[in-house]
Amino acid sequence: MKNIRNFCIIAHIDHGKSTLADRLLEFTNTITDRERKDQLLDNMDLERERGITIKSHAIQMEYVYKGEQYILNLIDTPGHVDFSYEVSRSIAACEGALLIVDAAQSIQAQTISNLYLALENDLEIIPILNKVDLPSANPEEVSDDIIGLLGCKHEDIIPASGKTGFGVDTILEAIVERIPAPKGSVEEPLQALIFDSVFNSYRGVETYFRVINGEIKQGQKIKFLATGRDYFAEEVGTLKLNQVKKNSVKAGDVGYLITGIKIAKEVKVGDTITDAVNPTKNPIEGFEDVKPMVFAGIYPVDTEDYEELRNSMEKLQLNDASLVYVPESSAALGFGFRCGFLGMLHMEIIQERLEREFDMTVITTVPNVSYHAYTKKEPEKAIIVNNPSDLPDPSKLDRVEEPFIKATVITKAEFVGNVMSLCIEKRGVIKNQSYLTPERVELIFDMPLAEIVFDFYDRLKTVSKGYASFDYHPIGMRESKLVKVDILLNSQTVDALSSLMHQDNAYSIGKKMCEKLRQLIPRQQFDIPIQAAIGAKIISRETIKALRKDVTAKCYGGDITRKRKLLEKQKKGKKRMRMVGNVEIPQSAFMAVLKLND
């Protein structure tokens, strides 16, 4: 065990961790020239296109240092805030972390939040200054930022470049020298932490784990503590670029396990694996069920494709256990699903994967968050409201609580005013403002999660000219004055466009929605009134004028009563049409509601 090192890489998006991981794999000869490609550990097309890590990966390297052979397990982590729970489990499986900071961009919000996670788990941090070869790099200044953040010495920081491979040998030496070997004993009962799982359509769920104590052998009967289920370990092994089958994986090492599980929900990230006959007394701390934060309806464009969409969702859920969905129906859109996502990026990725992998074109309704409603009859019992239509009648309602987050924004000093006014507009309350350097400011706000769901991130980038980075974590439920705003088309409520919002914003947002819909819904043969309403009270109205045939064109001169008679006849026909007419709502209208500020 003294020759094993387990480490992860923490960095903000686009600070070069996937590229640096490629160099480490090349330097330790883990991959051959034939297997070499950029961002090797990002194996999903979407990851490669967007340049982000969505699914964390693990890989084992062998490295000879001073004549001794060492095993280095790199547990890669996703960088985006939506996947912070996966990051925390990957960090819990390690003894050390490489903190990568871009020499041109300096420290960003996610670097700090992931760093705090690593420090809470007592990891040994190795600071690395990446991209030092860039002409825009500012190594001296960024080194001072790192020293200010970590309190380390200047010589502890390793300058490197993922592109050219400069400094990679120094990083590997530092991993062996600075990161402690895993503690634990092979003699104790089996205790292993699940930090990831992937679905293989031929072999079922492959579970990635780190053994803390004991050893896991092929054919052994094992138990998952959180779900309480028993399985047989059909195959165990370690993770090189391809899986390497072993008879057993011992304490301190990282490996994969195949048990023939066909349902991804049975394997939970953060769960403890133990021996079914001689189980461990203490499960590994920090396990929690992943809770969706953002909810949206997903409907097939053609109602006949509902069954096909159901099959696609089931297959997707096998690959992504954090996707939650239940069937629902809407008067405007027919049958579909109410889905829960970890965040907006997760929602975008699911939508894109449905289109790419399953050829499903879908309509997504306005995303919203989960609220708690309390009635006057039972003021202690919370009703969970994931869909605005679930909200009890306003006359019976006692109060509504909504989820709040603690948001951290790091930006240049010159944009502080813009960022503050944006956050205050989004009902944020500033809690702290501190200057990390004379140029860079960290702002901490308490904000409702619902306000960042729509367009907050885009607008933050706009007001800061791209220089702000953002990170958040939930801090619980708080009471708010929320109302349900309904949109009525031709006096019919369109449930897919209903939304819950704060009382102070309801009038202006209702007005904007009506104006936007007036531009997007095509004209019909009859007048279409578009109304926004809170309960029975109409707060805004727009009208789409009817397409009219010029019925008076044939009247040359003559008495005005002839023209009036023809117009009255047309008016009656339009009125009758309006009573039976149906209004088709284009997909763009559902999406436009998200972009009200454009």
Side-chain angles (χ1 to χ4, degrees):
M1 265 172 71
K2 71 178 189 352
N3 287 10
I4 296 176
R5 299 286 182 273
N6 297 318
F7 68 98
C8 60
I9 300 180
I10 48 181
H12 190 76
I13 297 167
D14 209 25
H15 279 207
K17 68 184 172 91
S18 294
T19 314
L20 203 67
D22 292 347
R23 297 296 89 77
L24 292 172
L25 296 175
E26 285 165 19
F27 200 88
T28 53
N29 297 324
T30 308
I31 52 170
T32 60
D33 286 349
R34 197 163 57 90
E35 294 164 331
R36 184 175 301 174
K37 62 179 177 181
D38 288 344
Q39 281 103 31
L40 186 78
L41 294 178
D42 292 346
N43 52 15
M44 212 187 284
D45 289 346
L46 261 175
E47 293 181 313
R48 307 180 75 79
E49 278 169 31
R50 290 178 173 228
I52 54 175
T53 304
I54 295 167
K55 201 92 183 87
S56 52
H57 299 265
I59 193 160
Q60 191 178 78
M61 298 173 267
E62 285 169 6
Y63 177 61
V64 179
Y65 178 63
K66 293 186 179 171
E68 274 195 70
Q69 177 109 10
Y70 286 89
I71 288 175
L72 313 179
N73 288 313
L74 160 62
I75 298 169
D76 191 14
T77 60
H80 200 276
V81 55
D82 286 4
F83 309 109
S84 55
Y85 175 63
E86 282 187 29
V87 177
S88 77
R89 295 298 82 207
S90 296
I91 285 174
C94 303
E95 277 81 34
L98 306 183
L99 175 74
I100 296 181
V101 179
D102 187 328
Q105 295 183 47
S106 190
I107 292 159
Q108 307 276 312
Q110 277 164 8
T111 321
I112 292 183
S113 67
N114 288 351
L115 172 68
Y116 288 156
L117 271 178
L119 291 171
E120 275 170 29
N121 283 290
D122 296 332
L123 298 201
E124 179 62 42
I125 309 287
I126 299 175
I128 294 166
L129 194 59
N130 196 18
K131 306 192 187 181
V132 289
D133 56 325
L134 286 182
S136 58
N138 197 344
E140 288 307 311
E141 199 177 298
V142 180
S143 295
D144 293 342
D145 290 355
I146 296 173
I147 292 166
L149 181 69
L150 280 178
C152 59
K153 297 189 184 75
H154 200 284
E155 52 271 22
D156 292 342
I157 302 169
I158 303 171
S161 162
K163 198 155 128 200
T164 60
F166 166 72
V168 173
D169 47 348
T170 324
I171 293 171
L172 286 164
E173 286 169 17
I175 290 169
V176 173
E177 285 184 356
R178 295 196 214 168
I179 294 176
K183 299 179 181 72
S185 155
V186 184
E187 270 63 60
E188 291 203 17
L190 171 64
Q191 185 191 28
L193 168 73
I194 299 176
F195 63 82
D196 197 10
S197 65
V198 292
F199 186 78
N200 180 327
S201 42
Y202 301 106
R203 315 184 70 183
V205 180
E206 297 172 357
T207 309
Y208 296 164
F209 61 86
R210 147 82 201 270
V211 186
I212 312 287
N213 287 311
E215 68 175 314
I216 186 164
K217 298 179 187 144
Q218 189 179 343
Q220 179 180 355
K221 192 177 182 188
I222 53 164
K223 183 181 185 128
F224 289 6
L225 287 182
T227 56
R229 293 172 181 249
D230 294 359
Y231 304 98
F232 283 99
E234 289 172 17
E235 188 183 310
V236 294
T238 52
L239 297 148
K240 290 282 179 71
L241 189 58
N242 299 315
Q243 295 167 343
V244 182
K245 197 172 166 182
K246 295 275 176 77
N247 288 330
S248 75
V249 179
K250 297 185 177 168
D253 215 341
V254 172
Y256 73 93
L257 160 74
I258 292 172
T259 51
I261 300 173
K262 290 283 185 284
I263 302 159
K265 282 189 204 148
E266 290 182 22
V267 180
K268 294 185 184 287
V269 171
D271 196 355
T272 307
I273 305 175
T274 188
D275 187 55
V277 184
N278 177 20
T280 177
K281 299 284 185 294
N282 34 353
I284 296 158
E285 289 173 7
F287 170 75
E288 57 184 75
D289 275 322
V290 181
K291 294 180 190 72
M293 304 287 279
V294 173
F295 295 85
I298 287 186
Y299 294 86
V301 172
D302 195 342
T303 2
E304 291 163 11
D305 296 340
Y306 175 71
E307 280 304 320
E308 212 174 307
L309 180 62
R310 180 198 291 277
N311 294 339
S312 309
M313 296 290 268
E314 279 172 9
K315 286 175 187 163
L316 245 183
Q317 199 180 35
L318 289 173
N319 273 308
D320 185 347
S322 45
L323 168 67
V324 181
Y325 67 91
V326 289
E328 75 165 0
S329 65
S330 141
L333 299 170
F335 291 104
F337 296 97
R338 187 96 200 143
C339 305
F341 308 96
L342 299 176
M344 288 304 282
L345 176 79
H346 188 212
M347 177 174 144
E348 267 180 58
I349 285 161
I350 294 290
Q351 217 176 324
E352 194 129 334
R353 285 182 70 184
L354 276 171
E355 283 183 18
R356 282 189 187 196
E357 295 171 26
F358 305 101
D359 286 333
M360 292 296 310
T361 14
V362 291
I363 294 175
T364 312
T365 64
V366 184
N368 62 347
V369 299
S370 188
Y371 300 93
H372 287 179
Y374 297 86
T375 54
K376 288 173 182 166
K377 202 173 178 184
E378 296 179 279
E380 298 307 312
K381 191 181 172 192
I383 300 166
I384 294 170
V385 180
N386 291 336
N387 192 345
S389 60
D390 301 341
L391 191 74
D393 188 77
S395 58
K396 296 175 184 165
L397 205 57
D398 180 46
R399 65 186 193 280
V400 182
E401 291 180 352
E402 64 176 330
F404 265 68
I405 55 163
K406 184 179 182 183
T408 308
V409 179
I410 293 179
T411 184
K412 285 191 164 183
E414 63 198 87
F415 303 119
V416 169
N418 299 355
V419 172
M420 273 192 176
S421 55
L422 171 67
C423 291
I424 290 162
E425 180 198 325
K426 295 283 190 186
R427 297 194 283 137
V429 178
I430 187 152
K431 289 290 176 189
N432 193 6
Q433 175 181 358
S434 55
Y435 279 77
L436 303 171
T437 70
E439 276 298 297
R440 296 163 63 74
V441 188
E442 180 184 50
L443 302 167
I444 293 173
F445 293 90
D446 282 0
M447 288 172 77
L449 177 64
E451 293 289 346
I452 68 157
V453 160
F454 289 152
D455 55 355
F456 177 77
Y457 196 65
D458 297 346
R459 286 185 61 200
L460 178 69
K461 287 288 182 197
T462 310
V463 299
S464 65
K465 298 188 180 159
Y467 279 108
S469 60
F470 169 67
D471 193 66
Y472 69 86
H473 61 87
I475 51 173
M477 308 294 283
R478 294 186 188 175
E479 193 175 332
S480 287
K481 284 183 182 171
L482 296 169
V483 289
K484 179 184 168 197
V485 176
D486 288 317
I487 298 291
L488 288 82
L489 278 185
N490 203 7
S491 309
Q492 302 285 319
T493 307
V494 183
D495 51 358
L497 289 173
S498 300
S499 52
L500 282 175
M501 58 189 72
H502 198 263
Q503 205 168 346
D504 301 348
N505 306 339
Y507 173 72
S508 60
I509 291 180
K511 193 170 185 308
K512 278 183 188 168
M513 279 167 98
C514 289
E515 285 167 2
K516 200 90 176 185
L517 288 170
R518 194 190 73 192
Q519 296 161 18
L520 291 163
I521 293 174
R523 288 169 72 185
Q524 310 278 342
Q525 291 287 344
F526 51 90
D527 280 4
I528 306 169
I530 303 170
Q531 296 162 309
I534 298 173
K537 185 183 173 191
I538 303 291
I539 56 170
S540 174
R541 171 180 169 138
E542 295 283 335
T543 308
I544 300 172
K545 286 294 177 195
L547 292 165
R548 308 186 88 100
K549 181 182 170 188
D550 188 0
V551 286
T552 59
K554 60 187 178 188
C555 299
Y556 296 104
D559 192 3
I560 186 72
T561 51
R562 285 182 62 200
K563 289 186 179 178
R564 204 168 278 159
K565 191 176 161 189
L566 288 167
L567 288 168
E568 283 297 324
K569 193 176 167 189
Q570 185 189 33
K571 195 171 163 187
K572 272 184 188 163
K574 298 277 180 209
K575 197 172 176 185
R576 195 164 56 244
M577 260 184 183
R578 193 178 132 189
M579 286 162 70
V580 295
N582 257 339
V583 184
E584 287 287 316
I585 307 170
Q587 159 77 3
S588 56
F590 292 105
M591 297 320 289
V593 181
L594 310 186
K595 301 189 174 78
L596 287 177
N597 287 303
D598 289 5

